[in-house]
PDB file of all heavy atoms in Angstrom:
ATOM      1  N   ILE Y   1     212.851  74.239  78.347  1.00 93.00           N
ATOM      2  CA  ILE Y   1     211.397  74.128  78.198  1.00 93.00           C
ATOM      3  C   ILE Y   1     210.752  73.852  79.557  1.00 93.00           C
ATOM      4  O   ILE Y   1     209.751  74.468  79.923  1.00 93.00           O
ATOM      5  CB  ILE Y   1     211.018  73.039  77.179  1.00 93.00           C
ATOM      6  CG1 ILE Y   1     211.523  73.424  75.788  1.00 93.00           C
ATOM      7  CG2 ILE Y   1     209.499  72.819  77.164  1.00 93.00           C
ATOM      8  CD1 ILE Y   1     211.460  72.285  74.777  1.00 93.00           C
ATOM      9  N   ARG Y   2     211.331  72.913  80.317  1.00 90.00           N
ATOM     10  CA  ARG Y   2     210.774  72.600  81.645  1.00 90.00           C
ATOM     11  C   ARG Y   2     210.829  73.825  82.555  1.00 90.00           C
ATOM     12  O   ARG Y   2     209.888  74.103  83.297  1.00 90.00           O
ATOM     13  CB  ARG Y   2     211.530  71.441  82.306  1.00 90.00           C
ATOM     14  CG  ARG Y   2     211.263  70.098  81.681  1.00 90.00           C
ATOM     15  CD  ARG Y   2     209.819  69.683  81.770  1.00 90.00           C
ATOM     16  NE  ARG Y   2     209.511  69.214  83.107  1.00 90.00           N
ATOM     17  CZ  ARG Y   2     208.293  68.936  83.545  1.00 90.00           C
ATOM     18  NH1 ARG Y   2     207.268  69.071  82.749  1.00 90.00           N
ATOM     19  NH2 ARG Y   2     208.098  68.519  84.758  1.00 90.00           N
ATOM     20  N   THR Y   3     211.934  74.560  82.500  1.00 90.00           N
ATOM     21  CA  THR Y   3     212.077  75.758  83.328  1.00 90.00           C
ATOM     22  C   THR Y   3     211.004  76.774  82.972  1.00 90.00           C
ATOM     23  O   THR Y   3     210.398  77.385  83.864  1.00 90.00           O
ATOM     24  CB  THR Y   3     213.481  76.364  83.159  1.00 90.00           C
ATOM     25  OG1 THR Y   3     214.454  75.387  83.544  1.00 90.00           O
ATOM     26  CG2 THR Y   3     213.658  77.603  84.021  1.00 90.00           C
ATOM     27  N   LEU Y   4     210.754  76.963  81.692  1.00 92.00           N
ATOM     28  CA  LEU Y   4     209.687  77.875  81.273  1.00 92.00           C
ATOM     29  C   LEU Y   4     208.336  77.405  81.803  1.00 92.00           C
ATOM     30  O   LEU Y   4     207.543  78.213  82.303  1.00 92.00           O
ATOM     31  CB  LEU Y   4     209.641  77.978  79.748  1.00 92.00           C
ATOM     32  CG  LEU Y   4     210.738  78.810  79.101  1.00 92.00           C
ATOM     33  CD1 LEU Y   4     210.774  78.570  77.597  1.00 92.00           C
ATOM     34  CD2 LEU Y   4     210.542  80.289  79.411  1.00 92.00           C
ATOM     35  N   GLN Y   5     208.074  76.116  81.732  1.00 89.00           N
ATOM     36  CA  GLN Y   5     206.800  75.590  82.227  1.00 89.00           C
ATOM     37  C   GLN Y   5     206.668  75.820  83.730  1.00 89.00           C
ATOM     38  O   GLN Y   5     205.617  76.242  84.204  1.00 89.00           O
ATOM     39  CB  GLN Y   5     206.674  74.103  81.903  1.00 89.00           C
ATOM     40  CG  GLN Y   5     206.459  73.833  80.434  1.00 89.00           C
ATOM     41  CD  GLN Y   5     206.410  72.348  80.105  1.00 89.00           C
ATOM     42  OE1 GLN Y   5     207.039  71.529  80.770  1.00 89.00           O
ATOM     43  NE2 GLN Y   5     205.666  72.001  79.071  1.00 89.00           N
ATOM     44  N   TRP Y   6     207.729  75.522  84.469  1.00 85.00           N
ATOM     45  CA  TRP Y   6     207.677  75.693  85.926  1.00 85.00           C
ATOM     46  C   TRP Y   6     207.620  77.159  86.322  1.00 85.00           C
ATOM     47  O   TRP Y   6     207.082  77.494  87.366  1.00 85.00           O
ATOM     48  CB  TRP Y   6     208.883  75.038  86.594  1.00 85.00           C
ATOM     49  CG  TRP Y   6     208.877  73.550  86.545  1.00 85.00           C
ATOM     50  CD1 TRP Y   6     207.796  72.719  86.580  1.00 85.00           C
ATOM     51  CD2 TRP Y   6     210.018  72.699  86.451  1.00 85.00           C
ATOM     52  NE1 TRP Y   6     208.191  71.407  86.514  1.00 85.00           N
ATOM     53  CE2 TRP Y   6     209.554  71.365  86.441  1.00 85.00           C
ATOM     54  CE3 TRP Y   6     211.382  72.933  86.380  1.00 85.00           C
ATOM     55  CZ2 TRP Y   6     210.406  70.278  86.366  1.00 85.00           C
ATOM     56  CZ3 TRP Y   6     212.234  71.842  86.292  1.00 85.00           C
ATOM     57  CH2 TRP Y   6     211.748  70.534  86.292  1.00 85.00           C
ATOM     58  N   GLY Y   7     208.168  78.022  85.486  1.00 82.00           N
ATOM     59  CA  GLY Y   7     208.220  79.447  85.799  1.00 82.00           C
ATOM     60  C   GLY Y   7     206.979  80.212  85.385  1.00 82.00           C
ATOM     61  O   GLY Y   7     206.989  81.431  85.372  1.00 82.00           O
ATOM     62  N   GLY Y   8     205.932  79.521  85.020  1.00 85.00           N
ATOM     63  CA  GLY Y   8     204.692  80.187  84.688  1.00 85.00           C
ATOM     64  C   GLY Y   8     204.436  80.310  83.196  1.00 85.00           C
ATOM     65  O   GLY Y   8     203.445  80.906  82.783  1.00 85.00           O
ATOM     66  N   GLY Y   9     205.344  79.790  82.374  1.00 88.00           N
ATOM     67  CA  GLY Y   9     205.097  79.746  80.942  1.00 88.00           C
ATOM     68  C   GLY Y   9     205.701  80.857  80.128  1.00 88.00           C
ATOM     69  O   GLY Y   9     205.714  80.773  78.907  1.00 88.00           O
ATOM     70  N   ILE Y  10     206.205  81.903  80.759  1.00 91.00           N
ATOM     71  CA  ILE Y  10     206.817  82.987  80.002  1.00 91.00           C
ATOM     72  C   ILE Y  10     207.889  83.657  80.870  1.00 91.00           C
ATOM     73  O   ILE Y  10     207.676  83.866  82.061  1.00 91.00           O
ATOM     74  CB  ILE Y  10     205.763  83.997  79.508  1.00 91.00           C
ATOM     75  CG1 ILE Y  10     206.369  84.965  78.507  1.00 91.00           C
ATOM     76  CG2 ILE Y  10     205.090  84.700  80.651  1.00 91.00           C
ATOM     77  CD1 ILE Y  10     205.330  85.757  77.722  1.00 91.00           C
ATOM     78  N   MET Y  11     209.032  83.908  80.260  1.00 92.00           N
ATOM     79  CA  MET Y  11     210.149  84.560  80.959  1.00 92.00           C
ATOM     80  C   MET Y  11     210.920  85.408  79.968  1.00 92.00           C
ATOM     81  O   MET Y  11     210.879  85.147  78.767  1.00 92.00           O
ATOM     82  CB  MET Y  11     211.132  83.524  81.513  1.00 92.00           C
ATOM     83  CG  MET Y  11     210.664  82.684  82.617  1.00 92.00           C
ATOM     84  SD  MET Y  11     212.018  81.579  83.099  1.00 92.00           S
ATOM     85  CE  MET Y  11     211.374  80.979  84.613  1.00 92.00           C
ATOM     86  N   THR Y  12     211.646  86.368  80.502  1.00 90.00           N
ATOM     87  CA  THR Y  12     212.569  87.103  79.647  1.00 90.00           C
ATOM     88  C   THR Y  12     213.788  86.220  79.399  1.00 90.00           C
ATOM     89  O   THR Y  12     214.030  85.257  80.131  1.00 90.00           O
ATOM     90  CB  THR Y  12     213.035  88.416  80.290  1.00 90.00           C
ATOM     91  OG1 THR Y  12     213.814  88.117  81.452  1.00 90.00           O
ATOM     92  CG2 THR Y  12     211.856  89.321  80.649  1.00 90.00           C
ATOM     93  N   MET Y  13     214.547  86.566  78.382  1.00 87.00           N
ATOM     94  CA  MET Y  13     215.777  85.828  78.091  1.00 87.00           C
ATOM     95  C   MET Y  13     216.707  85.880  79.297  1.00 87.00           C
ATOM     96  O   MET Y  13     217.335  84.886  79.638  1.00 87.00           O
ATOM     97  CB  MET Y  13     216.479  86.432  76.870  1.00 87.00           C
ATOM     98  CG  MET Y  13     215.719  86.288  75.587  1.00 87.00           C
ATOM     99  SD  MET Y  13     216.106  84.797  74.706  1.00 87.00           S
ATOM    100  CE  MET Y  13     217.695  85.181  74.044  1.00 87.00           C
ATOM    101  N   SER Y  14     216.785  87.050  79.935  1.00 87.00           N
ATOM    102  CA  SER Y  14     217.670  87.206  81.098  1.00 87.00           C
ATOM    103  C   SER Y  14     217.238  86.320  82.252  1.00 87.00           C
ATOM    104  O   SER Y  14     218.069  85.704  82.922  1.00 87.00           O
ATOM    105  CB  SER Y  14     217.707  88.666  81.562  1.00 87.00           C
ATOM    106  OG  SER Y  14     218.246  89.479  80.553  1.00 87.00           O
ATOM    107  N   GLU Y  15     215.931  86.258  82.512  1.00 89.00           N
ATOM    108  CA  GLU Y  15     215.426  85.403  83.590  1.00 89.00           C
ATOM    109  C   GLU Y  15     215.744  83.942  83.310  1.00 89.00           C
ATOM    110  O   GLU Y  15     216.219  83.223  84.195  1.00 89.00           O
ATOM    111  CB  GLU Y  15     213.914  85.582  83.751  1.00 89.00           C
ATOM    112  CG  GLU Y  15     213.502  86.917  84.299  1.00 89.00           C
ATOM    113  CD  GLU Y  15     212.011  87.181  84.168  1.00 89.00           C
ATOM    114  OE1 GLU Y  15     211.323  86.497  83.382  1.00 89.00           O
ATOM    115  OE2 GLU Y  15     211.533  88.092  84.869  1.00 89.00           O
ATOM    116  N   LEU Y  16     215.502  83.509  82.086  1.00 89.00           N
ATOM    117  CA  LEU Y  16     215.765  82.119  81.728  1.00 89.00           C
ATOM    118  C   LEU Y  16     217.256  81.806  81.845  1.00 89.00           C
ATOM    119  O   LEU Y  16     217.634  80.756  82.362  1.00 89.00           O
ATOM    120  CB  LEU Y  16     215.252  81.823  80.317  1.00 89.00           C
ATOM    121  CG  LEU Y  16     215.296  80.380  79.856  1.00 89.00           C
ATOM    122  CD1 LEU Y  16     214.533  79.457  80.805  1.00 89.00           C
ATOM    123  CD2 LEU Y  16     214.732  80.267  78.442  1.00 89.00           C
ATOM    124  N   ALA Y  17     218.100  82.722  81.417  1.00 89.00           N
ATOM    125  CA  ALA Y  17     219.549  82.536  81.528  1.00 89.00           C
ATOM    126  C   ALA Y  17     219.966  82.442  82.991  1.00 89.00           C
ATOM    127  O   ALA Y  17     220.791  81.600  83.359  1.00 89.00           O
ATOM    128  CB  ALA Y  17     220.287  83.678  80.837  1.00 89.00           C
ATOM    129  N   GLU Y  18     219.360  83.274  83.820  1.00 87.00           N
ATOM    130  CA  GLU Y  18     219.701  83.261  85.244  1.00 87.00           C
ATOM    131  C   GLU Y  18     219.276  81.949  85.901  1.00 87.00           C
ATOM    132  O   GLU Y  18     220.035  81.339  86.648  1.00 87.00           O
ATOM    133  CB  GLU Y  18     219.036  84.451  85.938  1.00 87.00           C
ATOM    134  CG  GLU Y  18     219.562  84.689  87.339  1.00 87.00           C
ATOM    135  CD  GLU Y  18     219.027  85.973  87.948  1.00 87.00           C
ATOM    136  OE1 GLU Y  18     218.366  86.771  87.253  1.00 87.00           O
ATOM    137  OE2 GLU Y  18     219.268  86.174  89.154  1.00 87.00           O
ATOM    138  N   TYR Y  19     218.052  81.496  85.625  1.00 85.00           N
ATOM    139  CA  TYR Y  19     217.571  80.245  86.202  1.00 85.00           C
ATOM    140  C   TYR Y  19     218.407  79.052  85.781  1.00 85.00           C
ATOM    141  O   TYR Y  19     218.661  78.152  86.560  1.00 85.00           O
ATOM    142  CB  TYR Y  19     216.116  79.983  85.813  1.00 85.00           C
ATOM    143  CG  TYR Y  19     215.110  80.677  86.687  1.00 85.00           C
ATOM    144  CD1 TYR Y  19     214.264  81.626  86.151  1.00 85.00           C
ATOM    145  CD2 TYR Y  19     214.997  80.370  88.033  1.00 85.00           C
ATOM    146  CE1 TYR Y  19     213.327  82.265  86.945  1.00 85.00           C
ATOM    147  CE2 TYR Y  19     214.063  81.012  88.830  1.00 85.00           C
ATOM    148  CZ  TYR Y  19     213.237  81.953  88.280  1.00 85.00           C
ATOM    149  OH  TYR Y  19     212.321  82.576  89.061  1.00 85.00           O
ATOM    150  N   THR Y  20     218.795  79.025  84.518  1.00 85.00           N
ATOM    151  CA  THR Y  20     219.526  77.875  84.003  1.00 85.00           C
ATOM    152  C   THR Y  20     221.032  78.012  84.188  1.00 85.00           C
ATOM    153  O   THR Y  20     221.780  77.117  83.807  1.00 85.00           O
ATOM    154  CB  THR Y  20     219.213  77.663  82.507  1.00 85.00           C
ATOM    155  OG1 THR Y  20     219.561  78.840  81.788  1.00 85.00           O
ATOM    156  CG2 THR Y  20     217.755  77.307  82.298  1.00 85.00           C
ATOM    157  N   LYS Y  21     221.434  79.138  84.755  1.00 86.00           N
ATOM    158  CA  LYS Y  21     222.856  79.424  85.015  1.00 86.00           C
ATOM    159  C   LYS Y  21     223.672  79.374  83.720  1.00 86.00           C
ATOM    160  O   LYS Y  21     224.768  78.849  83.669  1.00 86.00           O
ATOM    161  CB  LYS Y  21     223.419  78.474  86.059  1.00 86.00           C
ATOM    162  CG  LYS Y  21     222.623  78.489  87.352  1.00 86.00           C
ATOM    163  CD  LYS Y  21     223.496  78.306  88.543  1.00 86.00           C
ATOM    164  CE  LYS Y  21     222.756  78.232  89.842  1.00 86.00           C
ATOM    165  NZ  LYS Y  21     221.796  79.187  90.147  1.00 86.00           N
ATOM    166  N   MET Y  22     223.084  79.942  82.663  1.00 88.00           N
ATOM    167  CA  MET Y  22     223.765  80.046  81.374  1.00 88.00           C
ATOM    168  C   MET Y  22     224.130  81.499  81.122  1.00 88.00           C
ATOM    169  O   MET Y  22     223.415  82.403  81.568  1.00 88.00           O
ATOM    170  CB  MET Y  22     222.845  79.609  80.224  1.00 88.00           C
ATOM    171  CG  MET Y  22     222.626  78.159  80.081  1.00 88.00           C
ATOM    172  SD  MET Y  22     221.594  77.920  78.614  1.00 88.00           S
ATOM    173  CE  MET Y  22     222.111  76.315  78.144  1.00 88.00           C
ATOM    174  N   GLN Y  23     225.183  81.701  80.391  1.00 90.00           N
ATOM    175  CA  GLN Y  23     225.521  83.053  79.964  1.00 90.00           C
ATOM    176  C   GLN Y  23     224.471  83.492  78.950  1.00 90.00           C
ATOM    177  O   GLN Y  23     223.909  82.674  78.222  1.00 90.00           O
ATOM    178  CB  GLN Y  23     226.898  83.081  79.328  1.00 90.00           C
ATOM    179  CG  GLN Y  23     228.010  82.756  80.296  1.00 90.00           C
ATOM    180  CD  GLN Y  23     229.364  82.741  79.599  1.00 90.00           C
ATOM    181  OE1 GLN Y  23     229.475  82.855  78.387  1.00 90.00           O
ATOM    182  NE2 GLN Y  23     230.405  82.601  80.382  1.00 90.00           N
ATOM    183  N   LYS Y  24     224.224  84.801  78.894  1.00 86.00           N
ATOM    184  CA  LYS Y  24     223.183  85.315  77.998  1.00 86.00           C
ATOM    185  C   LYS Y  24     223.473  84.962  76.538  1.00 86.00           C
ATOM    186  O   LYS Y  24     222.554  84.667  75.778  1.00 86.00           O
ATOM    187  CB  LYS Y  24     223.032  86.817  78.172  1.00 86.00           C
ATOM    188  CG  LYS Y  24     222.382  87.184  79.485  1.00 86.00           C
ATOM    189  CD  LYS Y  24     222.200  88.667  79.627  1.00 86.00           C
ATOM    190  CE  LYS Y  24     221.676  88.993  81.011  1.00 86.00           C
ATOM    191  NZ  LYS Y  24     221.530  90.430  81.217  1.00 86.00           N
ATOM    192  N   GLN Y  25     224.755  84.963  76.151  1.00 89.00           N
ATOM    193  CA  GLN Y  25     225.108  84.617  74.771  1.00 89.00           C
ATOM    194  C   GLN Y  25     224.740  83.159  74.481  1.00 89.00           C
ATOM    195  O   GLN Y  25     224.222  82.845  73.413  1.00 89.00           O
ATOM    196  CB  GLN Y  25     226.613  84.828  74.512  1.00 89.00           C
ATOM    197  CG  GLN Y  25     227.074  86.248  74.681  1.00 89.00           C
ATOM    198  CD  GLN Y  25     227.410  86.607  76.133  1.00 89.00           C
ATOM    199  OE1 GLN Y  25     227.149  85.859  77.069  1.00 89.00           O
ATOM    200  NE2 GLN Y  25     227.965  87.785  76.327  1.00 89.00           N
ATOM    201  N   GLN Y  26     225.013  82.278  75.436  1.00 91.00           N
ATOM    202  CA  GLN Y  26     224.647  80.862  75.291  1.00 91.00           C
ATOM    203  C   GLN Y  26     223.136  80.714  75.209  1.00 91.00           C
ATOM    204  O   GLN Y  26     222.621  79.919  74.433  1.00 91.00           O
ATOM    205  CB  GLN Y  26     225.145  80.054  76.489  1.00 91.00           C
ATOM    206  CG  GLN Y  26     226.516  79.507  76.386  1.00 91.00           C
ATOM    207  CD  GLN Y  26     226.784  78.624  77.609  1.00 91.00           C
ATOM    208  OE1 GLN Y  26     226.784  79.090  78.741  1.00 91.00           O
ATOM    209  NE2 GLN Y  26     227.003  77.352  77.358  1.00 91.00           N
ATOM    210  N   MET Y  27     222.433  81.476  76.049  1.00 91.00           N
ATOM    211  CA  MET Y  27     220.975  81.392  76.069  1.00 91.00           C
ATOM    212  C   MET Y  27     220.403  81.856  74.739  1.00 91.00           C
ATOM    213  O   MET Y  27     219.451  81.257  74.228  1.00 91.00           O
ATOM    214  CB  MET Y  27     220.397  82.226  77.224  1.00 91.00           C
ATOM    215  CG  MET Y  27     218.884  82.142  77.333  1.00 91.00           C
ATOM    216  SD  MET Y  27     218.208  80.448  77.404  1.00 91.00           S
ATOM    217  CE  MET Y  27     218.943  79.839  78.907  1.00 91.00           C
ATOM    218  N   THR Y  28     220.991  82.878  74.150  1.00 91.00           N
ATOM    219  CA  THR Y  28     220.522  83.347  72.844  1.00 91.00           C
ATOM    220  C   THR Y  28     220.651  82.232  71.808  1.00 91.00           C
ATOM    221  O   THR Y  28     219.717  81.982  71.035  1.00 91.00           O
ATOM    222  CB  THR Y  28     221.312  84.594  72.400  1.00 91.00           C
ATOM    223  OG1 THR Y  28     221.103  85.639  73.359  1.00 91.00           O
ATOM    224  CG2 THR Y  28     220.878  85.066  71.023  1.00 91.00           C
ATOM    225  N   GLN Y  29     221.767  81.535  71.810  1.00 93.00           N
ATOM    226  CA  GLN Y  29     221.963  80.422  70.879  1.00 93.00           C
ATOM    227  C   GLN Y  29     220.962  79.299  71.154  1.00 93.00           C
ATOM    228  O   GLN Y  29     220.401  78.710  70.227  1.00 93.00           O
ATOM    229  CB  GLN Y  29     223.393  79.897  70.975  1.00 93.00           C
ATOM    230  CG  GLN Y  29     224.419  80.873  70.472  1.00 93.00           C
ATOM    231  CD  GLN Y  29     225.853  80.419  70.743  1.00 93.00           C
ATOM    232  OE1 GLN Y  29     226.088  79.403  71.395  1.00 93.00           O
ATOM    233  NE2 GLN Y  29     226.813  81.175  70.239  1.00 93.00           N
ATOM    234  N   MET Y  30     220.746  79.013  72.432  1.00 92.00           N
ATOM    235  CA  MET Y  30     219.803  77.959  72.817  1.00 92.00           C
ATOM    236  C   MET Y  30     218.391  78.312  72.355  1.00 92.00           C
ATOM    237  O   MET Y  30     217.684  77.487  71.777  1.00 92.00           O
ATOM    238  CB  MET Y  30     219.825  77.781  74.333  1.00 92.00           C
ATOM    239  CG  MET Y  30     218.812  76.798  74.860  1.00 92.00           C
ATOM    240  SD  MET Y  30     219.297  75.119  74.625  1.00 92.00           S
ATOM    241  CE  MET Y  30     220.829  75.113  75.519  1.00 92.00           C
ATOM    242  N   VAL Y  31     217.990  79.548  72.603  1.00 94.00           N
ATOM    243  CA  VAL Y  31     216.649  79.984  72.208  1.00 94.00           C
ATOM    244  C   VAL Y  31     216.517  79.968  70.688  1.00 94.00           C
ATOM    245  O   VAL Y  31     215.475  79.574  70.156  1.00 94.00           O
ATOM    246  CB  VAL Y  31     216.312  81.363  72.817  1.00 94.00           C
ATOM    247  CG1 VAL Y  31     215.054  81.955  72.188  1.00 94.00           C
ATOM    248  CG2 VAL Y  31     216.141  81.241  74.332  1.00 94.00           C
ATOM    249  N   ASN Y  32     217.565  80.349  69.979  1.00 94.00           N
ATOM    250  CA  ASN Y  32     217.530  80.286  68.513  1.00 94.00           C
ATOM    251  C   ASN Y  32     217.241  78.858  68.051  1.00 94.00           C
ATOM    252  O   ASN Y  32     216.425  78.644  67.151  1.00 94.00           O
ATOM    253  CB  ASN Y  32     218.839  80.768  67.902  1.00 94.00           C
ATOM    254  CG  ASN Y  32     219.006  82.273  67.981  1.00 94.00           C
ATOM    255  OD1 ASN Y  32     218.034  83.014  68.183  1.00 94.00           O
ATOM    256  ND2 ASN Y  32     220.227  82.738  67.833  1.00 94.00           N
ATOM    257  N   ARG Y  33     217.897  77.877  68.667  1.00 93.00           N
ATOM    258  CA  ARG Y  33     217.654  76.478  68.301  1.00 93.00           C
ATOM    259  C   ARG Y  33     216.235  76.051  68.661  1.00 93.00           C
ATOM    260  O   ARG Y  33     215.581  75.320  67.907  1.00 93.00           O
ATOM    261  CB  ARG Y  33     218.694  75.567  68.969  1.00 93.00           C
ATOM    262  CG  ARG Y  33     220.086  75.773  68.397  1.00 93.00           C
ATOM    263  CD  ARG Y  33     221.076  74.684  68.752  1.00 93.00           C
ATOM    264  NE  ARG Y  33     220.961  74.108  70.061  1.00 93.00           N
ATOM    265  CZ  ARG Y  33     221.863  74.234  71.042  1.00 93.00           C
ATOM    266  NH1 ARG Y  33     222.963  74.917  70.857  1.00 93.00           N
ATOM    267  NH2 ARG Y  33     221.672  73.652  72.194  1.00 93.00           N
ATOM    268  N   LEU Y  34     215.762  76.495  69.812  1.00 95.00           N
ATOM    269  CA  LEU Y  34     214.391  76.164  70.224  1.00 95.00           C
ATOM    270  C   LEU Y  34     213.366  76.798  69.280  1.00 95.00           C
ATOM    271  O   LEU Y  34     212.345  76.178  68.964  1.00 95.00           O
ATOM    272  CB  LEU Y  34     214.145  76.612  71.667  1.00 95.00           C
ATOM    273  CG  LEU Y  34     214.831  75.774  72.744  1.00 95.00           C
ATOM    274  CD1 LEU Y  34     214.839  76.507  74.082  1.00 95.00           C
ATOM    275  CD2 LEU Y  34     214.166  74.420  72.883  1.00 95.00           C
TER     276      LEU Y  34
END
């Protein structure tokens, strides 16, 4: 959430995964929970 806020409020899943150094599969699970 903080990364999205600092990044201007909107990002693609790939961008968010890259910033947080998460694998895309992990990011998908994280976003599902969010």
Side-chain angles (χ1 to χ4, degrees):
I1 296 168
R2 288 298 283 171
T3 301
L4 285 167
Q5 289 177 330
W6 290 327
I10 191 166
M11 291 181 167
T12 66
M13 294 270 285
S14 297
E15 291 168 343
L16 187 56
E18 192 173 352
Y19 276 117
T20 58
K21 305 215 183 311
M22 285 183 152
Q23 294 178 354
K24 288 182 186 178
Q25 298 85 351
Q26 272 185 297
M27 182 53 62
T28 299
Q29 292 172 355
M30 175 78 59
V31 168
N32 286 342
R33 291 195 324 247
L34 287 165

